[in-house]
């Protein structure tokens, strides 16, 4: 079963675009990683949210230890308030099988 991850990043005041730019630089490399099914960035006025879907837990673990994330962490270091809040979520399908799940 695919693994869904939500990472919430809080940019420093006035640094949201720097955070978006860092993800824009790294995302093509992440998209090419084994098991990456979804790696999509969203934001509001105060936070940046990455929604991810990985084929297996092993693919997610390889991603977390990979060079693109190391590069991303270095790029974000001076632009965020602290570590990202990362949640690895369990899917709970509801209602319509297409609309009621991220998978």
């Amino acid at each position: 079963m695919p693994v869904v991850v939500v990472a919430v990043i809080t940019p420093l005041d006035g640094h949201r675009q720097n955070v978006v730019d860092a993800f824009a630089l790294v995302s093509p490399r992440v998209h090419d990683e084994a098991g990456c099914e979804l790696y999509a960035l969203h934001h509001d006025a105060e936070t940046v949210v990455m929604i991810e879907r990985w084929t297996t837990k092993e693919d997610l673990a390889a991603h977390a230890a990979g060079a693109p994330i190391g590069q991303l962490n270095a790029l974000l270091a001076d632009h965020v308030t602290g570590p990202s809040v990362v949640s690895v979520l369990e899917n709970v399908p509801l209602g319509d099988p297409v609309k009621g799940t991220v998978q």
Side-chain angles (χ1 to χ4, degrees), residues 53-79:
R53 187 175 60 233
W54 295 89
T55 303
T56 67
K57 290 180 181 181
E58 293 78 15
D59 293 329
L60 174 59
H63 161 69
I69 290 305
Q71 180 185 15
L72 179 64
N73 289 335
L75 290 169
L76 294 177
D78 296 329
H79 303 289

Side-chain angles (χ1 to χ4, degrees), residues 9-34:
I9 302 96
T10 305
L12 293 167
D13 287 342
H15 288 248
R16 184 181 68 194
Q17 190 58 49
N18 298 91
V19 172
V20 171
D21 292 345
F23 276 99
L25 183 66
V26 172
S27 289
R29 292 178 58 205
V30 174
H31 290 161
D32 288 339
E33 290 179 351

Side-chain angles (χ1 to χ4, degrees), residues 93-103:
L94 300 171
D96 183 290
V98 175
K99 296 178 183 178
T101 184
V102 176
Q103 302 181 29

